[in-house]
Amino acid sequence: MRVLRTVGRVTAAGILGLVTGCGGSAASAPQQDRPDEVPPAPAPQSSAVTGAGLPFVGVLVDGDKHWCTASVVASPRGNVVATAAHCADAGSAGSMAFAPGFSGAVKGSLPYGTWKVRSVQTDERWSDSGDDSFDYAFLTLEPDARGRSVQSVVGAAQPDWGSGPRRRVTVLGYPDEDHNPENRPIACTTDTRPDPELPSDVRIDCAGFWTGTSGSPWLADHRGPDRPGRLIGVLSGGDTDVASTAVLFDARARRLYEKAARA
């Protein structure tokens, strides 16, 4: 099994402003007369930067403990979160929850509260043998105390079940407190390419994705909070903070997602 970053990745984005501060060209782009016109893609980065994050990206929590990054993926009932399978394995059954928009030292702040995890869906090839080609999971969440779904409160990214291996993505995550004592989300916009080790994976090279960023969403065509883009996979591995990998979502991932959406 490859080296995996499990607990505590930095969540990134703030995003269009975050990417612009990193050398993107949003500020210099011409004003758009038509609101449906898509802004140009930000320039690629070589290192992640901290920012305000995105409301639908957060961390997995169990009491005062938090680890790994997760994000809301659009679903009919608005109650599905995507993360890495090894992140879901690290949680305690019955007490794991999702905290969107988390940030702040130690216990941090929970601007949108927490949503209890009802069920966890992982592929049996991961559960049975730890096959890295299936290191993704979809979690079904309970409504909050007011009966609201998480998606109705913080939004979500649409899933992409057929992405090619070469995309420009924005990756958002929460590194662990050793590298991120304020628990601030980080983001990096860069280009993916096929991973030479696993045909199911794509790879990016962007510094700053330490332990804790596992489960971070890889958003293609991201242009800011109002244009979150499409979720093509979640960060699952990498041997250093610079090289990170994700399994591209495909028909097998979609079946797992649909199971979570029905749970």
Side-chain angles (χ1 to χ4, degrees):
M1 183 180 295
R2 309 171 71 193
V3 176
L4 300 173
R5 299 177 201 121
T6 48
V7 188
R9 288 206 156 201
V10 179
T11 317
I15 292 267
L16 189 52
L18 203 167
V19 172
T20 303
C22 239
S25 58
S28 61
Q31 294 296 316
Q32 303 296 332
D33 295 327
R34 299 193 301 275
D36 59 338
E37 221 174 284
V38 178
Q45 304 162 234
S46 60
S47 183
V49 296
T50 56
L54 289 172
F56 65 87
V57 181
V59 295
L60 298 177
V61 299
D62 189 342
D64 292 339
K65 171 189 173 186
H66 67 87
W67 74 98
C68 281
T69 302
S71 62
V72 186
V73 55
S75 64
R77 297 179 183 173
N79 61 349
V80 178
V81 164
T83 190
H86 69 267
C87 292
D89 289 349
S92 300
S95 58
M96 181 167 51
F98 171 63
F102 176 85
S103 72
V106 193
K107 295 182 181 180
S109 63
L110 305 169
Y112 305 103
T114 61
W115 271 260
K116 184 177 179 181
V117 175
R118 176 193 300 165
S119 65
V120 175
Q121 307 297 335
T122 57
D123 192 281
E124 61 184 10
R125 284 155 288 197
W126 168 266
S127 305
D128 294 345
S129 59
D131 186 337
D132 290 333
S133 300
F134 300 91
D135 192 1
Y136 47 73
F138 296 97
L139 316 182
T140 308
L141 307 182
E142 298 280 4
D144 69 1
R146 297 167 59 182
R148 302 175 300 177
S149 71
V150 65
Q151 184 176 324
S152 70
V153 176
V154 301
Q158 292 289 335
D160 186 335
W161 308 113
S163 175
R166 297 187 184 275
R167 302 288 294 273
R168 182 157 298 176
V169 296
T170 298
V171 181
L172 308 139
Y174 289 86
D176 64 22
E177 293 180 354
D178 289 344
H179 299 281
N180 182 37
E182 295 298 321
N183 287 318
R184 297 181 65 193
I186 62 165
C188 180
T189 296
T190 190
D191 295 328
T192 68
R193 66 180 190 274
D195 180 14
E197 296 182 29
L198 278 177
S200 59
D201 284 24
V202 291
R203 168 178 170 154
I204 61 170
D205 291 304
C206 188
F209 286 90
W210 300 97
T211 298
T213 53
S214 285
S216 296
W218 291 35
L219 301 172
D221 304 321
H222 175 80
R223 297 294 187 273
D226 295 334
R227 296 181 184 272
R230 300 184 69 85
L231 183 66
I232 68 169
V234 297
L235 197 154
S236 57
D239 297 331
T240 69
D241 75 296
V242 176
S244 301
T245 59
V247 182
L248 283 177
F249 287 165
D250 58 9
R252 298 170 299 184
R254 183 172 187 168
R255 286 193 291 271
L256 207 63
Y257 155 87
E258 291 172 344
K259 186 176 180 180
R262 294 191 301 267

